[in-house]
Amino acid sequence: ALNKQPEEVFDIVGKLGEGSYGSVHKAIHRESGHTLAVKKVPVDTDLQEIIKEISIMQQCDSKYVVKYYGSYFKNSDLWIVMEYCGAGSVSDIMQTQSKGCVTFTTSRKIHRDIKAGNILLNTEGHAKLADFGVAGQLTDTMAKKEHRNWNAILDGSRTIEMAEGRPPYSDIHPMRAIFMIPTKPPPSFKKSEEWSPEFNDFIRQCLVKKADERKTASQLVEHKFIAEAPGSEVLQAMIRDAQEIQAASQNALAISASITEATMVDGGTTIIDGQYDATLIHNESYITAQSLKSQMESLRIGGEIPASAMSSSRIAPPPYENAQAAGIAALQGNANAFNNVGTGPNFAVGAEGDADSTFSSASQLNTEAEYENRFQRAMVDGDYEFLRSITLDELIKRKENLDFEMDQELTELQRRYQTKRQPILDVIETKKRQMF
Amino acid sequence: VASRSNMELTADLHIIQENELPPWLLMYAQSDTSLDHLLEWNLFGISQLAQYEEMMRKLYKQQAIDIARKYEKMRVAINREIHRRDASRPPPRRM
Ligand SMILES: Nc1ncnc2c1ncn2[C@@H]1O[C@H](COP(=O)(O)OP(=O)(O)OP(=O)(O)O)[C@@H](O)[C@H]1O
Ligand SMILES: [Mg+2]
């Protein structure tokens, strides 16, 4: 039925929720009367990445993973048709329960973006993992290699999120979390006495930092906490409660929108990638138009591929010769304007000290400007001596201001890179259009 | 003891190898934007452009990490100084 328009195949009957960049709808399969879930994702994002994720979802044939049925292109959206999980996500239910539910913990595996929002429950209370980064592609990009170790730890943190309602580190600046997580002792419950000793111990075991000392998932499953966990009956009552509460609430959608937001505020890599790195999806495999087509067929993706999708997938044409020389020539001009030679990409590339600015070398710091200067300077060369000559009040003020100043610098960096990347992106766009 | 997790941390925070980045691209990334229009990107092929664009993204991410690291060091230094003057305040953690 892939050659049909999706609306001939099923009827959309309502909206289930909104994710970080797509909405999820409830649909009825016309032929069988089955209920389905349809996720609509705009395809101006990297199609190759989406295909990769769908293919993972398709290959997973497990009752713990939300089933994937097929996809359609509809206008500029990709509609991903999947199994309907009547009880919604764990985070939905947590909103209606004062305490979290603890039996979901078994489902942590392989998934790169596990959080309460991505663990769905069907009405029987069975937990299923949803979107293998189809949604995660924005939020979890470089994570694969660079942050593998941290992610394992973050996975354990999800369990705390599910029990306490918010993950560890959710109250600190996301960029700081990347330092906190590897250097601090593993997170634990804020009030450990509120949870059973088995649960506390289970969490401790999940959150062992060194990967080789950490138990494997299958070892963890044998932990007393899991092995002796009550069955899904416990959850069924909870789900019923939750559904009643949801039904009673008139603006259920408004709530689930805020839930989505809440689950986005999690510590560590997820946020870094999401917030500062939204477009930093890196893609090792370059593909031809032909293989893209065949991949889509094998993934049961129907309909016309919209141009916007083609332009974002990477298609390698024969390289133009001689181009490099021309590019380098044009760069000579820029090179002259470039006044910050000597910083390699591996250290403090972004740290531009105002080397020209003069300030007194003496230790009195009389003016605001001198403080400022010293501060900036210390940031660059790592000489923090000047801190000794400022007042305690000033120190505390400085410290309180750090997140704000860092944010400003990061925003400026982002703006700058947008400006620098745009011409490259524009040319890529134009060239692709010429090819079709 | 330089703990292992610290070493891993350092490794993980360097996402670009010096040799994977053409020097001129680094130059472009760091230079003033006023002359950028002189660059004729359309002389490159799409696959090259895609590569350069990806490197720019990586460089951006590296710099974001570097900025965060810079502030984190300052935070530790400030905490240390606060602790030195007033030992009742908690000592800084090691980086
Ligand atoms: N297969 C499904 N069956 C029933 N409800 C679903 C299904 N998939 C998603 N939902 C509902 O839609 C909401 C949004 O899902 P979506 O996956 O788009 O976002 P998310 O998981 O909250 O965040 P992210 O986009 O980062 O994955 C979920 O919280 C859940 O309530
Ligand atoms: Mg999701």
Side-chain angles (χ1 to χ4, degrees):
Chain A
L2 287 172
N3 42 10
K4 288 191 183 161
Q5 286 293 305
E7 62 268 22
E8 295 172 36
V9 185
F10 42 78
D11 294 310
I12 301 277
V13 293
K15 192 167 174 180
L16 292 167
E18 191 98 39
S20 34
Y21 71 110
S23 53
V24 182
H25 304 260
K26 185 175 177 177
I28 308 290
H29 189 238
R30 286 194 178 177
E31 222 173 279
S32 65
H34 280 146
T35 306
L36 305 165
V38 177
K39 185 168 195 165
K40 300 180 180 176
V41 182
V43 285
D44 49 1
T45 38
D46 196 325
L47 187 64
Q48 183 62 22
E49 192 70 16
I50 296 180
I51 287 181
K52 201 155 57 189
E53 304 300 347
I54 293 182
S55 90
I56 296 172
M57 191 155 70
Q58 190 192 28
Q59 282 158 25
C60 281
D61 183 21
S62 158
K63 62 175 177 168
Y64 300 117
V65 174
V66 174
K67 278 217 167 34
Y68 167 75
Y69 297 122
S71 304
Y72 295 90
F73 282 113
K74 178 70 189 171
N75 303 327
S76 59
D77 289 342
L78 181 65
W79 291 20
I80 300 165
V81 186
M82 59 185 158
E83 178 182 1
Y84 172 69
C85 297
S89 72
V90 171
S91 73
D92 297 343
I93 293 182
M94 275 161 52
Q95 292 292 306
T96 64
Q97 298 282 321
S98 57
K99 270 274 135 52
C101 338
V102 292
T103 31
F104 310 125
T105 47
T106 39
S107 8
R108 276 174 306 97
K109 264 180 224 167
I110 29 173
H111 199 291
R112 291 189 287 119
D113 187 23
I114 298 194
K115 59 183 183 198
N118 278 339
I119 299 178
L120 300 174
L121 293 170
N122 65 14
T123 33
E124 283 92 64
H126 296 297
K128 289 161 190 277
L129 276 180
D131 32 64
F132 278 76
V134 175
Q137 65 159 321
L138 277 179
T139 53
D140 199 61
T141 51
M142 312 286 278
K144 286 161 242 170
K145 280 186 230 140
E146 286 86 4
H147 305 145
R148 199 191 300 120
N149 294 329
W150 308 347
N151 270 13
I153 292 167
L154 284 175
D155 276 359
S157 313
R158 301 303 176 208
T159 318
I160 299 182
E161 173 190 358
M162 282 185 265
E164 286 185 340
R166 54 193 319 215
Y169 298 115
S170 55
D171 47 359
I172 68 160
H173 193 288
M175 279 304 271
R176 285 196 63 210
I178 67 174
F179 295 97
M180 311 287 284
I181 291 165
T183 52
K184 279 216 163 176
S188 57
F189 288 126
K190 291 202 174 66
K191 293 187 181 155
S192 59
E193 67 280 4
E194 286 184 6
W195 307 95
S196 73
E198 287 82 20
F199 194 16
N200 271 294
D201 184 65
F202 177 72
I203 293 294
R204 251 192 316 279
Q205 306 227 17
C206 287
L207 294 177
V208 169
K209 284 190 177 190
K210 293 183 183 173
D212 39 348
E213 290 171 15
R214 199 182 310 130
K215 293 193 170 157
T216 65
S218 47
Q219 283 172 319
L220 282 170
V221 173
E222 283 160 22
H223 190 281
K224 195 156 178 276
F225 172 68
I226 301 297
E228 293 176 9
S232 51
E233 318 82 62
V234 184
L235 287 175
Q236 288 175 22
M238 223 186 259
I239 290 166
R240 267 193 308 276
D241 283 3
Q243 280 176 337
E244 274 162 29
I245 298 169
Q246 269 165 0
S249 135
Q250 285 178 332
N251 45 5
L253 268 182
I255 293 174
S256 82
S258 72
I259 293 163
T260 313
E261 240 172 69
T263 60
M264 286 300 292
V265 186
D266 51 14
T269 52
T270 312
I271 284 280
I272 309 169
D273 293 337
Q275 189 170 329
Y276 293 104
D277 194 39
T279 53
L280 297 188
I281 300 158
H282 72 160
N283 199 345
E284 281 127 42
S285 57
Y286 294 82
I287 47 155
T288 64
Q290 195 48 49
S291 84
L292 179 64
K293 211 162 178 327
S294 65
Q295 283 181 67
M296 299 216 327
E297 277 158 12
S298 75
L299 292 176
R300 287 175 275 149
I301 299 179
E304 271 298 299
I305 309 172
S308 64
M310 292 308 277
S311 69
S312 64
S313 63
R314 291 174 184 158
I315 297 154
Y320 293 62
E321 294 306 330
N322 301 333
Q324 206 128 357
I328 290 169
L331 263 173
Q332 294 305 320
N334 284 29
N336 297 336
F338 175 60
N339 56 3
N340 192 21
V341 195
T343 37
N346 274 356
F347 41 88
V349 239
E352 286 168 44
D354 31 348
D356 304 328
S357 58
T358 51
F359 54 91
S360 61
S361 57
S363 61
Q364 339 95 326
L365 298 165
N366 295 321
T367 66
E368 194 66 20
E370 276 174 14
Y371 275 133
E372 211 46 55
N373 239 328
R374 277 303 181 94
F375 192 72
Q376 292 305 324
R377 180 79 163 200
M379 287 283 215
V380 178
D381 62 18
D383 179 8
Y384 304 108
E385 266 306 298
F386 85 103
L387 291 175
R388 293 187 165 241
S389 51
I390 66 181
T391 66
L392 188 59
D393 279 353
E394 177 71 13
L395 284 170
I396 292 164
K397 211 177 86 202
R398 279 292 177 198
K399 186 178 153 184
E400 279 165 357
N401 230 359
L402 285 176
D403 276 354
F404 173 74
E405 287 175 34
M406 181 168 79
D407 256 341
Q408 282 191 318
E409 220 173 299
L410 288 167
T411 307
E412 168 59 22
L413 182 76
Q414 188 178 35
R415 196 197 53 74
R416 184 182 159 76
Y417 266 86
Q418 246 153 30
T419 317
K420 288 282 183 183
R421 277 174 59 213
Q422 203 51 52
I424 310 180
L425 291 170
D426 289 346
V427 173
I428 293 179
E429 193 58 33
T430 321
K431 292 209 173 201
K432 277 185 181 156
R433 221 172 284 130
Q434 286 162 1
M435 290 175 61
F436 286 98
Chain B
V1 209
S3 82
R4 217 187 103 216
S5 73
N6 275 356
M7 287 162 61
E8 278 167 9
L9 171 67
T10 322
D12 281 347
L13 292 180
H14 288 150
I15 58 171
I16 299 188
Q17 299 311 313
E18 202 114 14
N19 53 14
E20 70 179 294
L21 193 70
W24 66 265
L25 194 66
L26 180 61
M27 232 181 246
Y28 168 69
Q30 297 186 325
S31 66
D32 186 88
T33 50
S34 61
L35 292 163
D36 286 358
H37 63 277
L38 293 177
L39 253 173
E40 300 212 38
W41 289 106
N42 60 341
L43 294 175
F44 291 103
I46 291 189
S47 63
Q48 280 171 312
L49 288 169
Q51 246 177 44
Y52 297 149
E53 198 268 329
E54 181 171 332
M55 285 175 196
M56 291 289 283
R57 281 184 281 149
K58 253 180 136 175
L59 204 52
Y60 163 58
K61 179 161 177 160
Q62 180 69 64
Q63 294 197 10
I65 292 173
D66 290 344
I67 288 174
R69 189 163 43 183
K70 189 176 76 174
Y71 277 89
E72 204 53 20
K73 280 184 183 155
M74 179 56 94
R75 184 185 303 272
V76 171
I78 291 178
N79 280 340
R80 187 174 297 132
E81 180 61 19
I82 292 176
H83 178 67
R84 193 182 66 84
R85 294 189 207 182
D86 178 357
S88 69
R89 290 171 198 261
R93 68 198 166 73
R94 291 198 328 265
M95 273 281 279

